[in-house]
Structures are given as structure tokens and as C-alpha cells.
Amino acid sequence: MNNSLIINIARSLLLARWRQTLIAAIGVTFSITMFITLLSFMAGLNKLLDGLILNRTPHIRLFNEVQPNSLQPINESKEYKTSYNFISSIKSGGSRQEIYNSGAIMNALKKDSRVLGYSPKLTAQVFFNDGAIDITGIVNGIDVLEESRLFHFKDYITEGSATDISKVSNSIILGKGLAEKLLADIGDVLQLTTAKGEQFSLKVVGYFQSGVQDFDKVQSYASVSTVQKLLGKPGNYITDIQIRLKDMAMAPSMAKEFETKFEADAEDIQTANAQFETGSSIRTLISYAVGITLLIVAGFGIYNILNMMIYEKMDSIAILKATGFSGNDVKRIFIFIALSIGLFGGILGLFFGFGLSSVIDQIPFKTASLPTIKTYPVDYNPAFYLIGIIFSLITTSFAGWFPARKASKVDPVEIIRGK
Amino acid sequence: MTELILQAKHIYKSFHDPIKVQVLTDINFSVSKGEFVSVTGKSGCGKSTLLYILSTMDTDYEGELLIDNILMTGKKEAMLARVRNEKIGFVFQFHYLLNEFSVLKNVMLPGLKLNKFSAAEVEHRAMEKLKMLDIEKLALKNANLISGGEKQRVAIARALINDPHIIMGDEPTGNLDKKNSDKVFEIFNRLTNEFNQTLLIVTHDQSFAERTHRIIEMEDGKVISN
Ligand SMILES: Nc1ncnc2c1ncn2[C@@H]1O[C@H](COP(=O)(O)OP(=O)(O)OP(=O)(O)O)[C@@H](O)[C@H]1O
Ligand SMILES: [Mg+2]
């Protein structure tokens, strides 16, 4: 009831003291600006760092671990069943790296609705022959299309074309560091020797830069069939199946399920990269803490200015009450003043925050290890803006509440008599 | 049969700070519609204290207060605010206008608060009151840029805006020179004669009091003649 009158009076009181009001609003604007900028920048950074690992890491990896058999013959023997057997120097025997029945597993994965996709992989240890010396390296056999779709393989190709390894037969993409060691240009033909001593020649069709220097010094990529040829294995020989799920959180439970279902080892991303989650959440926590601290400081500013205003306006409050405004009306006037400072300052802060984030987004940020990044990363998440404006309204209404209550309790008799 | 606007029944008031001081003792009187009543007495005898009680702003007293035959004693703050808005007009010694607003807006505020008429209508009525008091030229001036006598007339216009049952004044002429206080008296007189307005005015000014319909004289917190 009678809201427009309350707003009208609040506005007049505000405008009569517009300088103080402006300073209070600037305090809010400043803190919201910093809040938005900080969060956008931190989230951008988080995404970048997580992306370094998460984008490239399969949610579940199926493989066969080369390890000693846990069922040693002596333990199986009836004679020694009851005794405690000490065995030393166990060696891994006959087990193979190959995933058995890979074709059937891939078919099962294709039908699984929880799976976004998978890509098969196998690796070969080779020696690149560079004149008199041999350089050790690893050739990964991949399905380029799936690898790009699921693990952003294409993003890391700095020169040449990723799809060429599937189109050009006997072709290879070299890690940037490896290519530098070999002085190999695109189009050159490389000689390499496999672990079994066979010689092959592969054509260089591109460079690859992952962001991890040591990785780029030894790794290279070729098609699955090329690597199968290097190893002298048939067309169904696969050592790894990399799976990407629709929901990453399901990885640990599904890894267990696949382990028994496919009789292979399965490793989930959470186990493989446990430290990343922690890093991101701590960075986020710090940015929220700083942002909220700024807002609380701004809240105290508003509190002070409103308190001052109420002392100055004692006479006005008394006369409003004498002429029929209730304590509640007076409270609403001052809360409205606080909220409009919060809203005005907050909205301005959102714009400045957006502006400042855009500026940061333009600052060049080049590092050899991150070839796809040209400027500082910024995440323009609308949620930050929503949180920013809600926080500014909450702090200002808290800051306004106490002075407003004080104003509502002003006893007009005391003021009028005191004159 | 005269209509009773205000009734005070056995009103007692004491302050407890720092020791108990009895300020009002057994105040009994009533004011009928159209009466112009003045309250006089020595300084410190409790006139202002009584007026704050009668105006519903001070609720810390014993006894009963009826306005328009409705009991005010013990009512809620919001309810009393509404009564002040609707039924009581105030004029203080120190004009008490809101400096943030124009003269016209000052007069309009209680009317807007009452919310009985539209804003345009309230403005029209406010202009009429200003015209009646011969200060319509000041309407758009800022309230802190006019003289003391003018301020007091604006305060009277504001008191009139909701056609209150009664106008109360605490020494409304106390701060004015002879010429201005005569003007204010003339206005009050006209209000009772022409509009049958009820008035209850506390004053020190003996000549002012003598020209009213009835004088309530107080001494040491008691009514000594009525
Ligand atoms: N808040 C208070 N605490 C204690 N005593 C008070 C308080 N307010 C007023 N008094 C006392 O109450 C008595 C009456 O005061 P009041 O203001 O009603 O007198 P008054 O008749 O209006 O005087 P004046 O003509 O000077 O205005 C005085 O003795 C005063 O000292
Ligand atoms: Mg007095």
C-alpha cells in the first residue's frame, strides 16, 4: 500500500544527499566489479588448467596391466594348501598387453547409452634413426576422428593436418620437441626401427604440441593400422580403449562394472587425476572469499552513510511520524534507500566487471606450453553476474536494516521537545 | 447536542528520569466540534507534555483519551499513526517543514499518505489551502527558502490538508513577531468561524488566549480553570 509515496520520499531524501549516496554506490560498484572480474578470471584459469588434463584424459581407460599372476602354482597345489608360502622374484609371465575380444567390447560400448564415445589406441616403442644416433620415441596409434571429437586432439596440432594420418598411408605426426630433435620438416620421410628390429619409413604430416614439454619430446601419432603394422600385429590388436562418458561423475562406478564385465583393467579419471578437483575448488573458494569480503566492506560504507543520514534527518523523521507515517513506513523508506544504492551500485558493478573482464581477455598471454591460448582466459559465466547482484542486494539490505530500524524507532516527542 | 471531538479522562503522567516527577495530575476536559480552545499556564506546568499525549504521539500515561469518541489509549502504533494522519492536524512552534521538498509537496504529503484522493486531487486541494492562506505564490519554492511566518502558514495548510477533526498547536505563534502572530490568529479565527474547525492551541500569549472561545488554565500539572 502506498508504495509510490514511500519511493517518492526515499528518492527525495536520496537526491538531497546525492554526494554521499554516490560514494556509497561507488563502494558497491567497486566491490561488484572486482567480484565479477576475479571470479571470471579465476574460473577461466580453472577451466584452462582443468582442460589441460581433463579434455585429453579419458573418463575410463580399459587396458591389460602386465603384472605377475596372483594365482601362483604353489598356492594351487593341494599339498601346500594349508601352509604359508613365501615366493620370491615372481616374474610377469605369459600375460599379454592386448585387450582380448576388443571388437566385442567396442560393440558393447557403442550400445551403452551412458557412453558418449570411445576411441581405441595402441602404442609402439620405436627408435627414430637420425643419422648416426637413434632417438627413442613412442608412436601412438589412434582413430583421429574419434580422438578429435572426444579428446580435442585437433586442438593440439600446431602445423599440418590431423586427418592426414588417416588419409596418407604410412604417415606420422610428431611431438614438437621430437621434431626439433630430429630436425624433421613436414613432408620429410623418417626412418625408424621397431623394438623387434624391423625398419620402416613414415612421412611427417604435422606437429603436435600438448603443453607438456617432456611429453612432446617422445610422443608421436599415427593411425591404428600403421602402428599395428609397426608391431607386426593383426587388425584387431588394441591395447587401450579410451572411453568418454556423458556424466564424468559416473566414472568410478562404471570402471568397476567394466572391469568385471570385460575382464580387463579399468582406470577412472578421478583416481588418475585426484589432485585437480582440489586445486580448482580452492581457487574458486579464494575468489568467493575475496569478493564477499569486498562486499561486506561496501556494506559497512552503506551502513555508515545511512546512519549519518538518519541523524541528519531526525527532524524530518519526527515530522513524518507526527503527520501520520507509521514506524513501518519510515523503515521502508530507509530500506528502500539502501536497496536502491545496492541495486544501482550493483548493476553498475556488473557492467564495469564485464568491461574489466573483457580488458583482461584482451591481454596477450603466450606460453610455449599452451599453443591454443593467445590471451588471458576469462569465463563469462552468467551465474557470476547473478550471484554478484544477489550478494549486493543482500549486503545492502543487511546494511540498511539496522539504520532503518533505528529510524523507525525515533520518538517524535523527543525530537520536537528537544528543539 | 454538541459533538465531542476530544475527551481527556483522569490523565496522569510522570517522568522517571532520574527520579519520579509527577508532571500531569488528573487532567479532565473535553473539546466540542467547532470550539477554539487555548491552553495557558506558566512555563514548565506541563502544557506541551499534555499536548503530546492528546496528539497520540506520547502513549506513556495513565487515564483515557478519546478522539472522535474512539478510545485511543492502548492502541497500536500503526493505528495511532493513521489517526494522526486522518483526524489531527499539527502546528508546532518551530515550523518543522521537510526541507527536501517544495512548499506544495510539504502540504501534500499527509494527503498522499492518507491515500483517499488521487495525487492530482491532493495537489488541487493543497493549492486551495495555500490560496486560502494567501501563500499560493510560494507553492513551488523550496521549503527552506521561505520566511518564518510563511513557514508557519505552510504548516497550517499542511495541518488542514486532510480536513482533520481537530488542529493542535504548541505555541504556533511563539516564534513569530506581532504582525505575523496576528496573521496566524486571524487564520485560526477564520477557520473556526467559516469552516467550523475545532482548534486546541497551547500558548503563552495572553492576548492571543483572550480572543479564543475558551481558556484552559494549568498550574503544576493540574487544570485550575476551564
Ligand atoms: N523527558 C523528560 N524527562 C523529565 N522531565 C521532563 C521531561 N520532559 C519534560 N519534563 C518536565 O516536565 C515538566 C513539564 O514540561 P512541559 O514541556 O510540558 O512544560 P510546558 O508547560 O510546555 O512549558 P513551556 O511553557 O516552557 O513550554 C517540566 O518541569 C519539565 O522539566
Ligand atoms: Mg511547552
Side-chain angles (χ1 to χ4, degrees):
Chain A
M1 53 118 220
N2 233 340
N3 278 323
S4 63
L5 178 61
I6 300 289
I7 291 169
N8 198 310
I9 294 173
R11 210 185 53 203
S12 302
L13 291 177
L14 263 177
L15 292 180
R17 279 265 153 265
W18 66 271
R19 251 181 262 263
Q20 273 109 314
T21 322
L22 195 66
I23 287 168
I26 286 173
V28 178
T29 303
F30 178 77
S31 39
I32 294 289
T33 304
M34 294 322 281
F35 181 79
I36 296 285
T37 311
L38 207 65
L39 272 155
S40 306
F41 186 42
M42 278 294 184
L45 219 53
N46 274 346
K47 267 197 177 169
L48 173 81
L49 294 174
D50 290 353
L52 266 182
I53 298 300
L54 296 183
N55 279 348
R56 272 183 276 171
T57 315
H59 291 163
I60 299 176
R61 192 166 74 89
L62 294 177
F63 59 103
N64 257 341
E65 191 93 84
V66 176
Q67 61 185 10
N69 198 328
S70 56
L71 304 170
Q72 291 294 323
I74 191 155
N75 294 332
E76 300 292 292
S77 152
K78 276 196 186 99
E79 242 177 287
Y80 299 102
K81 197 92 191 166
T82 53
S83 53
Y84 197 89
N85 306 307
F86 293 89
I87 314 168
S88 52
S89 301
I90 299 178
K91 297 286 184 295
S92 314
S95 62
R96 297 185 299 167
Q97 259 187 296
E98 180 184 2
I99 297 180
Y100 308 102
N101 224 347
S102 55
I105 293 177
M106 287 194 267
N107 267 336
L109 289 175
K110 209 175 269 173
K111 284 182 196 136
D112 196 322
S113 61
R114 296 166 297 178
V115 174
L116 185 69
Y118 63 86
S119 93
K121 188 175 162 186
L122 73 167
T123 54
Q125 297 260 359
V126 298
F127 298 102
F128 291 101
N129 308 127
D130 182 28
I133 49 164
D134 290 336
I135 294 168
T136 45
I138 294 165
V139 187
N140 298 281
I142 55 167
D143 176 342
V144 180
L145 291 180
E146 283 302 285
E147 192 79 13
S148 291
R149 179 170 81 89
L150 300 171
F151 306 112
H152 307 267
F153 179 66
K154 265 190 189 157
D155 291 353
Y156 301 98
I157 305 298
T158 50
E159 268 177 76
S161 155
T163 46
D164 277 0
I165 55 172
S166 58
K167 283 189 226 147
V168 181
S169 63
N170 293 339
S171 57
I172 188 167
I173 289 176
L174 295 175
K176 184 87 180 162
L178 183 60
E180 274 163 12
K181 272 206 277 186
L182 294 169
L183 293 173
D185 286 327
I186 289 175
D188 287 1
V189 174
L190 282 180
Q191 294 297 323
L192 51 84
T193 312
T194 66
K196 287 186 177 158
E198 283 177 70
Q199 293 263 334
F200 279 89
S201 27
L202 297 179
K203 191 178 176 191
V204 179
V205 292
Y207 296 145
F208 168 89
Q209 197 170 11
S210 67
V212 184
Q213 296 269 357
D214 282 346
F215 187 85
D216 295 343
K217 275 183 190 161
V218 289
Q219 301 290 339
S220 62
Y221 290 90
S223 68
V224 170
S225 57
T226 306
V227 178
Q228 281 165 346
K229 242 185 281 172
L230 290 180
L231 293 169
K233 299 286 186 185
N236 60 357
Y237 181 86
I238 297 289
T239 57
D240 282 83
I241 298 175
Q242 302 171 304
I243 303 167
R244 206 166 175 88
L245 302 176
K246 284 175 184 154
D247 177 11
M248 184 175 117
M250 287 173 72
S253 61
M254 285 180 68
K256 281 209 186 70
E257 176 192 328
F258 287 169
E259 212 156 53
T260 47
K261 192 160 145 197
F262 300 140
E263 290 176 350
D265 292 297
E267 186 183 53
D268 57 86
I269 187 167
Q270 283 84 347
T271 316
N273 294 288
Q275 75 279 19
F276 272 92
E277 289 274 311
T278 333
S280 312
S281 64
I282 285 179
R283 276 191 295 272
T284 313
L285 195 69
I286 290 173
S287 14
Y288 273 95
V290 172
I292 289 170
T293 310
L294 286 170
L295 270 174
I296 290 173
V297 172
F300 274 105
I302 293 178
Y303 174 82
N304 267 334
I305 282 164
L306 278 181
N307 254 343
M308 236 168 62
M309 197 183 250
I310 284 163
Y311 276 115
E312 273 176 20
K313 302 291 173 201
M314 275 302 184
D315 288 359
S316 304
I317 295 169
I319 201 68
L320 283 173
K321 288 189 133 186
T323 56
F325 287 80
S326 64
N328 201 24
D329 293 332
V330 173
K331 194 196 286 175
R332 280 164 61 204
I333 289 173
F334 282 91
I335 285 185
F336 183 83
I337 290 177
L339 281 182
S340 34
I341 294 175
L343 193 68
F344 174 75
I347 288 177
L348 218 59
L350 295 188
F351 280 106
F352 280 126
F354 180 77
L356 195 56
S357 326
S358 319
V359 169
I360 288 175
D361 203 2
Q362 299 305 315
I363 298 174
F365 173 64
K366 285 202 186 90
T367 136
S369 58
L370 300 166
T372 51
I373 304 301
K374 302 277 184 281
T375 57
Y376 278 108
V378 170
D379 181 8
Y380 298 97
N381 189 342
F384 301 149
Y385 293 77
L386 193 70
I387 293 169
I389 199 73
I390 289 174
F391 273 163
S392 83
L393 288 180
I394 289 176
T395 29
T396 48
S397 46
F398 266 116
W401 175 260
F402 297 99
R405 207 182 51 163
K406 191 150 93 195
S408 79
K409 295 250 165 76
V410 166
D411 180 2
V413 173
E414 233 167 79
I415 308 298
I416 294 166
R417 190 193 282 285
K419 250 267 152 97
Chain B
M1 179 72 214
T2 52
E3 197 183 331
L4 287 180
I5 294 293
L6 183 139
Q7 290 162 268
K9 294 181 179 171
H10 309 291
I11 288 184
Y12 291 80
K13 162 92 185 173
S14 42
F15 289 107
H16 304 275
D17 187 26
I19 45 157
K20 189 176 164 171
V21 189
Q22 185 84 19
V23 181
L24 298 176
T25 317
D26 199 24
I27 305 283
N28 286 291
F29 68 89
S30 54
V31 180
S32 313
K33 177 138 187 75
E35 266 193 306
F36 184 0
V37 183
S38 57
V39 181
T40 62
K42 288 206 189 71
S43 184
C45 70
K47 305 183 295 292
S48 298
T49 308
L50 176 63
L51 198 74
Y52 299 140
I53 292 171
L54 298 181
S55 67
T56 76
M57 285 194 282
D58 188 351
T59 51
D60 182 21
Y61 60 89
E62 284 156 62
E64 284 185 348
L65 167 69
L66 286 87
I67 291 175
D68 202 15
N69 289 312
I70 299 166
L71 183 67
M72 293 293 127
T73 313
K75 286 277 186 319
K76 288 238 163 55
E77 188 259 359
M79 159 82 188
L80 293 176
R82 181 153 180 89
V83 169
R84 286 200 293 279
N85 185 226
E86 200 179 345
K87 298 183 176 172
I88 305 174
F90 282 102
V91 187
F92 303 103
Q93 181 173 1
F94 304 93
H95 350 284
Y96 280 104
L97 299 181
L98 298 176
N99 292 328
E100 295 80 17
F101 296 94
S102 68
V103 163
L104 180 65
K105 197 75 196 265
N106 263 286
V107 177
M108 284 169 68
L109 274 179
L112 293 171
K113 167 66 196 165
L114 185 63
N115 211 9
K116 195 165 115 191
F117 301 105
S118 72
E121 248 170 305
V122 171
E123 184 174 338
H124 177 74
R125 288 166 58 84
M127 276 315 283
E128 273 185 351
K129 307 287 178 200
L130 288 173
K131 252 179 227 154
M132 190 174 96
L133 301 181
D134 214 19
I135 44 172
E136 77 269 24
K137 285 195 299 290
L138 302 176
L140 297 177
K141 271 203 169 177
N142 211 309
N144 56 359
L145 300 177
I146 59 176
S147 80
E150 287 166 342
K151 278 184 187 176
Q152 206 56 300
R153 276 184 279 167
V154 174
I156 296 170
R158 181 181 63 197
L160 289 169
I161 188 75
N162 287 339
D163 296 327
H165 287 47
I166 183 167
I167 289 182
M168 299 186 188
D170 191 0
E171 308 195 25
T173 59
N175 216 26
L176 301 179
D177 60 17
K178 181 88 177 81
K179 199 179 118 214
N180 272 308
S181 76
D182 280 348
K183 238 183 213 165
V184 168
F185 180 83
E186 273 320 307
I187 291 164
F188 285 153
N189 217 18
R190 236 177 81 206
L191 288 173
T192 36
N193 293 340
E194 287 177 30
F195 302 95
N196 201 25
Q197 177 69 57
T198 317
L199 292 156
L200 179 68
I201 308 293
V202 169
T203 183
H204 258 127
D205 184 343
Q206 206 50 43
S207 70
F208 183 106
E210 272 160 13
R211 287 183 278 169
T212 62
H213 300 171
R214 175 153 73 102
I215 300 175
I216 295 174
E217 206 179 341
M218 288 178 68
E219 201 179 292
D220 280 343
K222 291 177 196 125
V223 175
I224 53 168
S225 80
N226 186 347

